Amino acid sequence: AVGGNTKFATDESSDDYTFGMRGNTSTSETQQSVDHATINNSITSPYHDCWSIGCNTKGAQGNGTRHDVLRLQRMSCLPRYISVDNIVTGNCGSTYCVCCHGHKLMCWGYNNYGSVSNQQYIVHTIARVWSNHQCLSHTIMQLLLRYLDEINALKHPLKPYYIHNNALNAVKFVSTGISSFHKFVLLHNDVLYAIGKNEWNQLGIANDDHHCRNIYHRVQIHFFDRRRIKLKKIACALTYSIFLDENGVLYACGRAKDGGLGLGDVLWSSTVQRVTLIQTQTSETPTTTMIDIVCGEQHCLALSNEKRLFSWGSNRWGQLGHGRQGPKTAEYRPKIVKYVRHMQVEKIDCGSNHSVILSIGKVYCFGCNLNCECGNGRTKSVCLPELNKTLSEYFVTDIKCGFQHNVAKTQTDCFYLWGMNDFNQCLHESPSQSSVVKVPTKYSGHVHSDQLEHVIIDMYPGWKETRIVTAKTRRVSYL
């Protein structure tokens, strides 16, 4: 259901929204909840507008330019009549937007490895045909493909484009995670497609010499459908992928030098393998299964059916939450986070090197904190899940992590942002020109008129940008 009470003013003749200084506002959460009742007495459009702010070097803003957007701007290049289901952004700004109940999939942004476009597909096909017929030597073929990789870096789609493919007209989900280099798309008929970088077999496509070429056109992955395995979610780290099936079983492929695959001593797997847990007397029972999975650059979090938190992979910044940090403290199999084993963890997410979890309305952060990703006002790494004191006053219902910044949504539909803010991605203009927002800071807008408002449905933090999905609402007077 469309809801929310956070509003901001717009000028219908302009796509820009000028926002003032953000900080603690005089409007309390109690007053916001009163306003929420007013919004419910209104007619809300089933269609959404999408707004964006932040870095645009690789076309992440989808506005047809490479100019950074430092003021919230409506994405006018998106179709006018869409309903946004989900927005997935990678570490360099590649963006997938699932719309209209999965019936439309649009992409734009970073495309060095073809993860959002197949423009180089024909050229690569010709090169492979030449190679197969020995028209080119192996050495020249490798040099040609490397050159194509380089020129493809200039092919970042600067505007959203709809993937015109009848096979992709019913998208179930797009893989999440930090990687812009490779992506998976699962359809409602459980057909799985992959595209992008495959240097470390992170797409699950193997070669005998372990030097797989990048995949510039969508290819179908048959590992799961041949075994009648139905997938629930896929998370992509930089060099590997983690799969979660509907039975709560984890699978992995790719390369992770710090144990991110969760396969123990296996640091490189060219094929998909099943992941097993670390068995301890205090952590799991034989019926333990997973219900969610997220990936950072080189670490992973998983949530079990018993609401327990597991983590593994790199722990250089303490992002695993085990009370220690450093290059020698990595975990090579999923291990329960004992500090929160008595909590009911409800949601999990992670950025590049930090982690955020939600437990009964309270937010806990840990890991890298150089850009205040943990929101405690300091820059020292946090090795154990730490309660965020700023948000402890409110009941938080949702959390999302970008690359180095985060968003939290409260029960009264208020949004708080913190972390890296070098491109105003935290929707905060600081008078001191600080590049970080040290603690969660409330975002609030203003009503444009008594008749027309934009109600915030959701926020999606990305690499160095943030996107806001809104719906127009018109108040109704009852006689």
Side-chain angles (χ1 to χ4, degrees):
V2 174
N5 65 342
T6 306
K7 307 173 287 294
F8 57 85
T10 62
D11 184 348
E12 294 301 323
S13 63
S14 172
D15 288 333
D16 292 329
Y17 162 61
T18 304
F19 57 92
M21 303 305 175
R22 297 291 174 252
N24 294 327
T25 62
S26 59
T27 304
S28 65
E29 294 254 330
T30 303
Q31 182 62 42
Q32 292 277 346
S33 64
V34 174
D35 292 340
H36 182 64
T38 304
I39 294 300
N40 286 335
N41 294 329
S42 61
I43 298 176
T44 303
S45 170
Y47 302 112
H48 298 155
D49 285 319
C50 191
W51 307 71
S52 188
I53 186 173
C55 181
N56 198 30
T57 305
K58 306 294 186 180
Q61 299 298 322
N63 59 8
T65 74
R66 295 179 184 270
H67 303 301
D68 297 331
V69 178
L70 302 182
R71 294 180 180 273
L72 199 62
Q73 183 181 81
R74 188 175 67 82
M75 297 184 63
S76 57
C77 293
L78 284 174
R80 296 289 294 182
Y81 300 104
I82 62 171
S83 57
V84 177
D85 303 325
N86 191 22
I87 298 176
V88 178
T89 304
N91 62 312
C92 291
S94 66
T95 306
Y96 276 68
C97 181
V98 183
C99 305
C100 305
H101 307 289
H103 289 285
K104 287 187 177 181
L105 178 62
M106 286 176 288
C107 308
W108 66 92
Y110 181 87
N111 190 44
N112 271 26
Y113 300 97
S115 57
V116 300
S117 174
N118 57 0
Q119 294 175 348
Q120 298 296 315
Y121 169 49
I122 296 178
V123 179
H124 275 260
T125 300
I126 293 174
R128 290 193 184 93
V129 170
W130 286 352
S131 178
N132 293 337
H133 288 82
Q134 298 181 348
C135 296
L136 297 174
S137 68
H138 177 75
T139 301
I140 294 178
M141 177 64 184
Q142 294 300 318
L143 291 174
L144 175 59
L145 289 177
R146 184 175 299 177
Y147 172 72
L148 291 175
D149 289 347
E150 292 296 329
I151 65 174
N152 194 54
L154 303 176
K155 298 294 185 179
H156 306 303
L158 301 181
K159 292 184 178 181
Y161 74 94
Y162 173 53
I163 296 182
H164 296 281
N165 188 327
N166 291 333
L168 292 183
N169 62 357
V171 176
K172 190 173 182 179
F173 66 76
V174 176
S175 60
T176 62
I178 211 73
S179 178
S180 273
F181 307 145
H182 68 292
K183 289 293 181 184
F184 295 88
V185 177
L186 184 71
L187 308 185
H188 278 289
N189 60 0
D190 293 314
V191 174
L192 180 63
Y193 288 94
I195 189 172
K197 190 172 184 178
N198 194 47
E199 180 180 1
W200 307 113
N201 309 112
Q202 55 262 56
L203 297 181
I205 303 173
N207 261 7
D208 294 336
D209 58 1
H210 282 272
H211 291 285
C212 299
R213 304 184 186 100
N214 302 325
I215 307 300
Y216 288 93
H217 62 289
R218 292 179 295 277
V219 296
Q220 187 173 349
I221 306 299
H222 294 284
F223 176 88
F224 297 100
D225 58 359
R226 287 174 178 171
R227 293 163 176 79
R228 297 183 178 181
I229 298 173
K230 294 184 178 296
L231 292 175
K232 181 179 180 180
K233 188 175 182 180
I234 304 173
C236 298
L238 290 183
T239 58
Y240 60 92
S241 306
I242 305 293
F243 307 84
L244 172 64
D245 73 11
E246 292 185 353
N247 293 321
V249 179
L250 297 176
Y251 302 84
C253 64
R255 181 181 181 183
K257 63 179 181 179
D258 291 321
L261 293 178
L263 299 174
D265 295 334
V266 179
L267 304 183
W268 187 351
S269 176
S270 59
T271 58
V272 179
Q273 293 191 40
R274 180 169 176 169
V275 178
T276 58
L277 310 180
I278 293 179
Q279 298 293 329
T280 67
Q281 294 180 351
T282 60
S283 59
E284 315 85 31
T285 66
T287 58
T288 296
T289 57
M290 298 301 169
I291 61 175
D292 197 8
I293 175 72
V294 292
C295 285
E297 282 190 359
Q298 293 291 334
H299 79 287
C300 303
L301 302 182
L303 182 61
S304 75
N305 59 327
E306 299 163 337
K307 304 297 184 181
R308 302 292 185 261
L309 178 65
F310 291 77
S311 63
W312 66 98
S314 173
N315 194 42
R316 179 180 179 182
W317 305 99
Q319 61 264 48
L320 299 186
H322 296 307
R324 57 189 186 278
Q325 69 178 89
K328 296 183 179 181
T329 62
E331 295 291 342
Y332 292 84
R333 287 194 184 276
K335 180 179 179 181
I336 193 170
V337 180
K338 295 182 179 180
Y339 184 79
V340 295
R341 67 179 180 273
H342 298 303
M343 296 183 185
Q344 293 292 308
V345 180
E346 299 169 346
K347 293 188 178 183
I348 58 175
D349 206 352
C350 55
S352 58
N353 293 297
H354 72 281
S355 306
V356 181
I357 63 174
L358 179 65
S359 175
I360 315 180
K362 303 302 179 185
V363 175
Y364 297 80
C365 308
F366 48 102
C368 182
N369 199 30
L370 293 177
N371 298 294
C372 298
E373 295 96 321
C374 294
N376 58 9
R378 303 186 297 273
T379 56
K380 184 179 179 180
S381 298
V382 180
C383 300
L384 287 171
E386 179 182 80
L387 175 67
N388 188 281
K389 296 181 179 179
T390 303
L391 294 173
S392 62
E393 302 176 14
Y394 315 113
F395 191 93
V396 177
T397 58
D398 194 18
I399 52 172
K400 290 187 179 72
C401 293
F403 192 66
Q404 293 174 325
H405 70 293
N406 313 286
V407 173
K409 181 181 180 181
T410 68
Q411 192 174 36
T412 54
D413 296 325
C414 295
F415 292 86
Y416 291 79
L417 300 93
W418 69 97
M420 177 61 86
N421 192 47
D422 51 345
F423 291 91
N424 291 346
Q425 59 263 46
C426 287
L427 300 172
H428 182 94
E429 285 184 321
S430 172
S432 62
Q433 300 300 316
S434 174
S435 62
V436 298
V437 176
K438 295 183 178 181
V439 297
T441 303
K442 183 179 176 181
Y443 171 74
S444 60
H446 307 281
V447 178
H448 174 60
S449 70
D450 291 337
Q451 297 298 324
L452 189 63
E453 298 165 349
H454 284 267
V455 181
I456 296 181
I457 306 303
D458 212 342
M459 287 191 185
Y460 295 90
W463 175 47
K464 291 180 178 291
E465 67 282 332
T466 297
R467 296 180 180 89
I468 300 178
V469 176
T470 68
K472 293 178 181 178
T473 181
R474 188 177 298 275
R475 292 189 178 184
V476 178
S477 298
Y478 294 98
L479 300 179

